[in-house]
Amino acid sequence: MSPEVFLIAGTRPEAIKLAPVAAAMRAAGRLTPVLVASGQHPTMVTQALDAFDVQADVTLPLQRVTGSQPELLTAMIASLDALLEERKPAAVVVQGDTTTTLAGAMAAFWRRIPVVHLEAGLRSGDLDSPFPEEANRKLVGQLAALHLAPTALAATNLLDESVAPGNVLITGNTVVDAALSVAARQLPFENPAVAAAVGAAEHGEARLVLVTAHRRESWGEPLDRILSAVRRLIEAYPDIRVVLPAHANPAVRAQVEAGLAGVPRVTVTDPLPYPALARLLSQAYLALTDSGGIQEEAPSFKVPALVLREVTERVESLHAGCAKLVGTDEDLIVAEAARLLDDPILRQSMTANGNPYGDGLASQRTEQAVAAMLGLASHPAPMPSTVSV
């Protein structure tokens, strides 16, 4: 039997980005992928994996009382350690920068199991933004045996931190693989209002604007400014329709609904299943977003993104011109959105250079890199860079 490799997911983005890797490993036949749900966001992980017609192979029990980060981290490490002792995988793959990522890396490192960090090397340079993700990914960078960087800039960040060049490979981001495959299936929407908005865009009857504001630093007054900008854009452009998947937090959802109450051509929804979000993004004219995933996915669908954050670690999209940082300044959001809505040529030029985050082959490179680390394959060639660093 081929050696087991654990793919540990605790959040929806992790599940989305690891599912294509599991598929690539199964297809190649050299490794046995074991999808482990850490218990951090169990319902969202299950829903995300459903989009790829797969289920977690192991779901860890996790009891939360206070909801604090120390409680979450210690509980996951204890559960993962017991599982690692029982199964003894050949390697552990962690993705990104969540508490699950840190727990998986620490548990595997302590068991002397090689840690593979998928989406390695992202850096904002500010430990407070995003918090605690910037610290998490830097800590994992100290523990990983293999660093799979999504871009040349991410790889450069790792080399600048004295990571050995032989332990770094530019793979591209597996989220591009996931988005392209799921959007191509064109699964039906469960929400009729979203279906109507996307249908209008598909038939050229409206221009669709996707808005997301999920990060904690966007809540409160920054979110009020974003909502005010949406109201002004709706008033100025009768042909646009806005879809805003709201955060599940009741207070945030209430703030969104209050801020957009009575505003026409705006659909506020629960968090969307990944297939619905990917198809929605594929039909969008413009995205206003604080989501890292959407920054990575949007260029593949030729959708420019205005980033509703003061700083982003995904600067490749800024360098490539397919995204622009606008923060939560109401006037700036409106002005930059208006430029794109008024000038189709400018909009087209923003995404003319393709997607700096991937070419749809990142999962295959990841499988090859892990197999090579374990002595089962030759090392793959890195993804060609489309952005100078």
Side-chain angles (χ1 to χ4, degrees):
M1 183 176 178
S2 56
E4 285 191 348
V5 174
F6 280 11
L7 311 176
I8 302 177
T11 66
R12 185 169 95 155
E14 287 171 306
I16 289 168
K17 295 177 181 182
L18 286 170
V21 176
M25 288 182 175
R26 285 192 294 269
R30 293 179 287 212
L31 305 167
T32 300
V34 178
L35 281 165
V36 178
S38 73
Q40 183 173 350
H41 293 161
T43 301
M44 288 188 174
V45 167
T46 298
Q47 291 173 343
L49 293 178
D50 284 345
F52 302 89
D53 295 325
V54 296
Q55 296 177 334
D57 299 292
V58 179
T59 299
L60 298 177
L62 188 63
Q63 300 296 324
R64 302 185 69 177
V65 178
T66 66
S68 70
Q69 290 294 305
E71 176 192 63
L72 177 62
L73 181 65
T74 53
M76 285 195 296
I77 287 177
S79 294
L80 286 167
D81 182 66
L83 180 64
L84 293 171
E85 181 180 23
E86 175 190 353
R87 300 281 289 261
K88 296 179 174 58
V92 166
V93 179
V94 295
Q95 192 282 325
D97 49 26
T98 70
T99 307
T100 289
T101 311
L102 181 59
M106 293 178 71
F109 178 77
W110 287 332
R111 287 280 172 184
R112 294 189 178 276
I113 297 170
V115 175
V116 179
H117 189 193
L118 185 64
E119 197 178 85
L122 274 65
R123 299 290 185 268
S124 71
D126 182 355
L127 284 176
D128 288 326
S129 182
F131 180 89
E133 289 85 358
E134 177 75 359
N136 289 345
R137 54 195 174 217
K138 293 190 73 173
L139 290 168
V140 174
Q142 300 301 306
L143 305 177
L146 178 61
H147 307 255
L148 302 182
T151 65
L153 178 57
T156 299
N157 290 336
L158 292 165
L159 299 178
D160 288 345
E161 294 173 2
S162 299
V163 175
N167 297 336
V168 178
L169 177 72
I170 304 169
T171 58
N173 198 308
T174 59
V175 76
V176 176
D177 308 26
L180 291 173
S181 64
V182 170
R185 294 165 63 188
Q186 292 194 321
L187 298 175
F189 293 100
E190 297 177 1
N191 186 313
V194 175
V198 172
E202 290 176 337
H203 292 93
E205 299 166 358
R207 291 186 289 178
L208 184 61
V209 178
L210 171 62
V211 181
T212 71
H214 290 167
R215 290 186 176 270
R216 289 183 181 273
E217 58 261 37
S218 298
W219 299 358
E221 291 184 8
L223 181 54
D224 280 334
R225 294 193 291 270
I226 294 168
L227 299 176
S228 181
V230 170
R231 293 195 299 268
R232 288 171 58 184
L233 289 170
I234 283 286
E235 183 177 356
Y237 294 91
D239 68 325
I240 68 171
R241 297 184 68 159
V242 171
V243 176
L244 193 161
H247 196 281
N249 182 291
V252 178
R253 177 64 178 265
Q255 183 181 356
V256 170
E257 291 184 340
L260 297 176
V263 179
R265 307 190 312 281
V266 174
T267 299
V268 177
T269 76
D270 293 333
L272 293 173
Y274 186 64
L277 184 62
R279 184 177 174 190
L280 175 63
L281 178 60
S282 73
Q283 295 301 319
Y285 188 90
L286 169 65
L288 310 179
T289 184
D290 63 359
S291 163
I294 289 177
Q295 291 177 60
E296 295 159 347
E297 296 159 342
S300 289
F301 301 115
K302 300 189 180 302
V303 177
L306 298 180
V307 183
L308 306 174
R309 295 172 60 184
E310 301 305 323
V311 62
T312 180
E313 62 280 18
R314 291 167 172 85
V315 296
E316 293 89 345
S317 56
L318 306 182
H319 294 165
C322 50
K324 189 164 188 177
L325 207 62
V326 295
T328 59
D329 183 303
E330 177 185 338
D331 291 335
L332 184 57
I333 294 169
V334 171
E336 292 298 332
R339 290 181 67 224
L340 294 169
L341 290 165
D342 290 339
D343 190 344
I345 295 177
L346 173 63
R347 174 186 177 273
Q348 184 178 11
S349 69
M350 282 187 67
T351 57
N353 294 325
N355 192 338
Y357 297 108
D359 56 2
L361 301 175
S363 301
Q364 295 178 32
R365 294 190 189 96
T366 298
E367 185 279 332
Q368 292 171 346
V370 177
M373 182 186 72
L374 297 176
L376 302 174
S378 59
H379 289 275
M383 185 189 83
S385 176
T386 60
V387 181
S388 60
V389 296

